[in-house]
Amino acid sequence: MKTVVYAETAMKQMLKLPVDVRRRLVAKLEEYALTGRGDVKKLKGREGARLRVGDYRIIFAETAHAIEVFEAGHRRNIYG
């Protein structure tokens, strides 16, 4: 399993989300870190990838041993 590390910005964004949404995002991120399965696509025009969880997105970069989360939020707010 890869270690999940949150940037300060991502942590603030996660804390603003409703508790049930936050739990879903963390669960999907942990599942991806463990198995490598999830709705993930590389981003165009910027470094990293996104994990889709319903209408919410997690923007992250992946190394051999860790997943660094940069942003998390609703899809209408995350790409701007």
Side-chain angles (χ1 to χ4, degrees):
M1 178 173 173
K2 295 183 181 185
T3 305
V4 179
V5 179
Y6 294 90
E8 187 177 338
T9 304
M11 189 59 85
K12 287 180 183 178
Q13 291 171 335
M14 290 285 278
L15 291 173
K16 290 180 182 178
L17 297 173
V19 176
D20 60 324
V21 172
R22 191 177 334 145
R23 285 185 185 142
R24 283 182 36 220
L25 293 177
V26 170
K28 286 289 187 179
L29 191 56
E30 288 176 355
E31 179 184 341
Y32 178 73
L34 185 62
T35 64
R37 286 183 285 171
D39 189 354
V40 175
K41 286 189 179 178
K42 292 188 182 215
L43 296 175
K44 294 180 181 178
R46 111 188 223 194
E47 193 174 321
R50 67 101 174 116
L51 173 65
R52 186 178 81 159
V53 183
D55 284 342
Y56 291 85
R57 305 291 186 266
I58 299 172
I59 307 298
F60 66 95
E62 188 173 7
T63 64
H65 302 289
I67 296 174
E68 185 176 358
V69 179
F70 299 123
E71 296 182 64
H74 195 277
R75 66 188 180 121
R76 72 174 168 249
N77 302 324
I78 205 71
Y79 296 116

